[in-house]
Amino acid sequence: MSTHCYIGATRPENPHLVHARFVLFDGHPAVVLPTLAAIWAGHADHDISALITAILAEDWEYLDPDITATTLSPFAGQRPVPGVGMTLASEVDPPEPVTVFPLCHARHFDAEWIYLIESGTGTIAVHTSDGTRVATYPLVGWLHPALTGRAERPCGSRPAVGALR
């Protein structure tokens, strides 16, 4: 059984309205947080706006920073996005529009977790399926030491308050 999630962001002018994409597999915080950090460091070159743009471009079968252009999907029509993941939509159909919803209505979606990329702080806010915020993590704290460029240092192995590790 998979753990579904939504990953997205809010806009400063309306911080309670989420713009997100569905991810079908591996939506648990122990998988999503290091995966988003690796996509941010690799594909997005430590640019939060580029990370948000990449995630909001598609609904995802799964996210994987090791995806290459030659990665094959067992499902016809799905396509790899190098450095990000495998799309959920087929190559012949245009992607679905971004899902937009008030965070207080999160319980109406088929997702166990909601992750909000906070552009101003470089953090990920982790919410449960009902929209309750349980923790906030800096992206750099989830990077493998080999990926921590630009004089950034991992925060160590100490989990944040309310950690889900």
Side-chain angles (χ1 to χ4, degrees), residues 103-108 111-112 114 127-134:
L103 190 55
C104 63
H105 290 182
R107 68 185 170 279
H108 299 294
E112 295 179 47
I114 298 165
H127 298 261
T128 59
S129 61
D130 66 358
T132 301
R133 183 183 222 149
V134 293

Side-chain angles (χ1 to χ4, degrees), residues 7-28:
I7 302 174
T10 61
R11 294 185 177 151
E13 66 272 10
N14 199 346
H16 299 291
L17 195 61
V18 174
H19 298 255
R21 287 297 191 164
F22 181 73
V23 180
L24 183 62
F25 290 109
D26 293 336
H28 191 274

Side-chain angles (χ1 to χ4, degrees), residues 33-142:
L33 294 167
T35 299
L36 285 175
I39 293 168
W40 169 67
H43 178 82
D45 195 29
H46 294 90
D47 180 337
I48 294 292
S49 294
L51 173 63
I52 292 169
T53 298
I55 296 300
L56 293 181
E58 303 278 348
D59 284 326
W60 302 95
E61 178 84 15
Y62 60 92
L63 297 174
D64 183 349
D66 296 327
I67 288 282
T68 66
T70 59
T71 304
L72 298 175
S73 171
F75 302 105
Q78 288 184 330
R79 64 180 179 79
V81 176
V84 182
M86 187 65 67
T87 65
L88 191 57
S90 73
E91 291 177 328
V92 295
D93 297 324
E96 292 290 323
V98 170
T99 301
V100 180
F101 59 93
L103 190 55
C104 63
H105 290 182
R107 68 185 170 279
H108 299 294
F109 292 94
D110 180 24
E112 295 179 47
W113 299 97
I114 298 165
Y115 303 90
L116 297 180
I117 304 165
E118 298 181 345
S119 61
T121 61
T123 60
I124 305 294
V126 180
H127 298 261
T128 59
S129 61
D130 66 358
T132 301
R133 183 183 222 149
V134 293
T136 300
Y137 297 96
L139 279 168
V140 72
W142 288 89

